[in-house]
Amino acid sequence: MPRLVEIATKGPEKTPIPDLPWLERALGGGFTRGGVYLLAGEPGIGKTTLAVQALGALAAQGMKVLYVTTEQSLADLKRAVQRIHAQPDDRLPPRLEDNFLLDDSIDDIDSLPRFLARRILTEGEEYHGIQAIVIDSVQGRGLSPAATRKYKALYEFAEHAKAQGLVTILIGHVTKRGQIAGPRDLEHNVDAILYIRRAFRLRPFFVPKNRFGPAVLDPVVLVMDSRGRVVESPHRSAKSAVVFGYGGVGDELAEGQASVSLPRYGSSPELNAPFLPNKKVKQLLSVLSTLKDVDLTDLSYEINCYIPRRQQYLQELDLPIALALLSSYLQRAVPQDSLFVGELDLTRRIRPPQGTYLAALAVLLAGPQKGRFKRVYVSSDCAAQLERLRPDRYGPAVGELAEVRGVETLESLLETLWPDLFQGE
């Protein structure tokens, strides 16, 4: 048995990923030679894209890499590689053409040890000399957590790949509750877990387990770019939003305020709205969840509504609060020279206020808040009526003081505010 002083203290050998600096940082300096990584996430979240990006980044450094697919055709996978890595002339960089290999000959994960021994480790075989491998996916075509024999074959493969110094990325599924699919010992038999999830266009990324560096429990916020690649979002932390409305009484404005954030990995989402009716808040979140591509689950919310003179909540404040939530969620600014008025019904239609409310709003715009707002967004059912209102018999009409824009639904309002979100639909 060696003495303590005789044991080598050389650390693990790192492979940098300069093309994916955010991933290099999250992994503590890049992939570790011999490291076994489990990349998990729901279907369609971008796991294959991220794995293709990572392998391409290694191939671009001259490493020979292999992508083994058990779910997709080689043609589909080749299109993904082409989409992600092609140059402006639609050709792949020479190093990728030479070093990026694809294979679909694996039917089941229990054949992985034999595949490794015969086609990778045997000299003269086509995959001999590869330095990184992706298995997509370990639960391809469905695999019960109770399939003990098959998972043992996977662990045997991972152990031998580790001994050979291969960087191994295993792509796994998650359950409907967001937990990593498979038996619990799957997580124990890998060196690091990479977890990616969805929050509308955002792709929060975590490294909840990492034997080669610190765990990353606060989300690295990613987005998909125009070529469908996973890139780091410029919005790395939550931004609060304030949207102006009117409480229907007096000279002061009401404010809808919201901050939507991604909870840490393993933390429970929270909803704090201490000064608002609980049922109304839940109803608004439910209505917003019906918007296309909006997933409001597993997020934390801080919601407030400033109403002057401690008046009771007025349904015309639905729109400012809904917009504040979406503004923070989407990281999009709402014009501060605009006023928003309206109740949201369950079909996302914007309902008109009563006549007395409109009269009070006209007085506000023509008096205390004159010149403050360039635009007023209100239900299209009453836009013309508000535009013609003239609080002072000899003074200007509301339409002469501000542009009154009629909107029928929440979608039509969002398309007006953030048209780029709807481009290409």
Side-chain angles (χ1 to χ4, degrees):
M1 181 176 293
R3 294 184 302 168
L4 190 62
V5 295
E6 296 172 337
I7 298 175
T9 56
K10 183 180 178 182
E13 184 179 337
K14 291 283 187 180
T15 299
I17 326 169
D19 291 349
L20 295 171
W22 61 266
L23 182 59
E24 184 177 291
R25 287 197 306 273
L27 296 180
F31 286 113
T32 297
R33 189 167 181 261
V36 180
Y37 299 83
L38 175 62
L39 171 58
E42 62 185 272
I45 198 68
K47 301 187 295 295
T48 296
T49 295
L50 179 54
V52 168
Q53 284 182 253
L55 275 197
L58 298 179
Q61 300 177 59
M63 293 175 62
K64 193 174 180 181
V65 301
L66 173 63
Y67 198 109
V68 177
T69 177
T70 63
E71 296 181 326
Q72 301 184 61
S73 70
L74 289 184
D76 288 342
L77 196 53
K78 180 181 177 181
R79 279 193 287 273
V81 175
Q82 191 79 19
R83 169 176 55 82
I84 292 167
H85 292 293
Q87 296 172 321
D89 61 359
D90 286 336
R91 298 192 59 180
L92 289 175
R95 279 191 165 184
L96 260 71
E97 288 188 339
D98 294 339
N99 296 322
F100 203 124
L101 307 175
L102 308 177
D103 186 283
D104 66 347
S105 63
I106 295 292
D107 294 326
D108 213 328
I109 62 171
D110 59 4
S111 60
L112 281 172
R114 187 168 60 253
F115 179 84
L116 176 68
R118 293 183 177 178
R119 303 186 64 184
I120 297 177
L121 302 185
T122 302
E123 287 195 30
E125 291 297 324
E126 58 186 322
Y127 301 142
H128 184 68
I130 67 164
Q131 294 170 275
I133 186 170
V134 167
I135 307 299
D136 183 7
S137 72
V138 296
Q139 288 107 4
R141 303 168 187 171
L143 182 64
S144 167
T148 307
R149 183 178 60 81
K150 294 180 183 291
Y151 277 104
K152 282 186 176 178
L154 176 66
Y155 305 151
E156 181 186 347
F157 162 80
E159 183 179 352
H160 289 308
K162 187 180 185 69
Q164 295 299 319
L166 286 178
V167 173
T168 303
I169 301 174
L170 308 174
I171 294 184
H173 295 178
V174 297
T175 65
K176 291 182 178 178
R177 302 182 66 179
Q179 297 173 330
I180 295 173
R184 296 297 297 175
D185 57 357
L186 172 61
E187 299 177 39
H188 295 303
N189 277 281
V190 297
D191 296 309
I193 296 174
L194 319 180
Y195 187 91
I196 187 169
R197 57 164 299 226
R198 183 195 309 274
F200 190 61
R201 297 194 173 197
L202 306 180
R203 298 290 186 271
F205 176 84
F206 306 86
V207 186
K209 173 185 176 181
N210 188 2
R211 284 183 179 149
F212 310 119
V216 179
L217 303 180
D218 288 318
V220 178
V221 184
L222 310 173
V223 292
M224 308 293 278
D225 70 5
S226 58
R227 291 172 61 181
R229 297 173 299 191
V230 182
V231 297
E232 190 168 18
S233 168
H235 308 296
R236 299 180 184 179
S237 58
K239 290 182 180 177
S240 59
V242 177
V243 180
F244 292 109
Y246 181 50
V249 178
D251 301 340
E252 296 181 71
L253 298 169
E255 296 178 11
Q257 305 170 358
S259 177
V260 182
S261 60
L262 295 158
R264 300 186 88 213
Y265 185 85
S267 300
S268 299
E270 296 181 353
L271 169 59
N272 292 312
F275 304 111
L276 289 170
N278 188 45
K279 290 183 178 178
K280 170 57 72 175
V281 171
K282 289 183 177 179
Q283 179 183 317
L284 283 176
L285 289 174
S286 176
V287 170
L288 297 184
S289 294
T290 63
L291 286 167
K292 182 183 177 185
D293 290 336
V294 170
D295 179 1
L296 293 173
T297 56
D298 297 332
L299 298 172
S300 291
Y301 303 93
E302 292 283 346
I303 308 173
N304 192 15
C305 184
Y306 168 71
I307 308 176
R309 305 180 186 182
R310 297 185 180 181
Q311 303 169 54
Q312 289 187 336
Y313 183 84
L314 198 68
Q315 58 199 15
E316 279 74 16
L317 297 173
D318 285 1
L319 201 52
I321 292 177
L323 279 179
L325 281 165
L326 289 171
S327 172
S328 178
Y329 176 66
L330 299 171
Q331 305 278 296
R332 299 291 178 123
V334 175
Q336 295 297 288
D337 60 358
S338 298
L339 187 70
F340 299 87
V341 167
E343 177 189 4
L344 271 181
D345 71 13
L346 297 180
T347 64
R348 303 182 299 277
R349 179 173 165 269
I350 299 172
R351 289 184 171 177
Q354 295 181 352
T356 52
Y357 178 98
L358 286 182
L361 177 60
V363 170
L364 179 83
L365 294 171
Q369 301 294 337
K370 184 178 179 179
R372 171 81 180 272
F373 298 106
K374 292 182 178 178
R375 296 177 191 84
V376 178
Y377 291 89
V378 68
S379 168
S380 55
D381 294 339
C382 66
Q385 180 186 354
L386 177 62
E387 195 172 25
R388 291 194 299 268
L389 280 178
R390 193 182 300 272
D392 186 330
R393 182 177 177 182
Y394 302 104
V398 171
E400 299 173 60
L401 299 168
E403 179 185 2
V404 179
R405 290 195 175 183
V407 283
E408 292 186 7
T409 63
L410 182 59
E411 284 92 333
S412 60
L413 175 57
L414 298 181
E415 192 167 359
T416 301
L417 293 176
W418 305 311
D420 58 303
L421 289 180
F422 298 84
Q423 289 175 358
E425 292 192 348

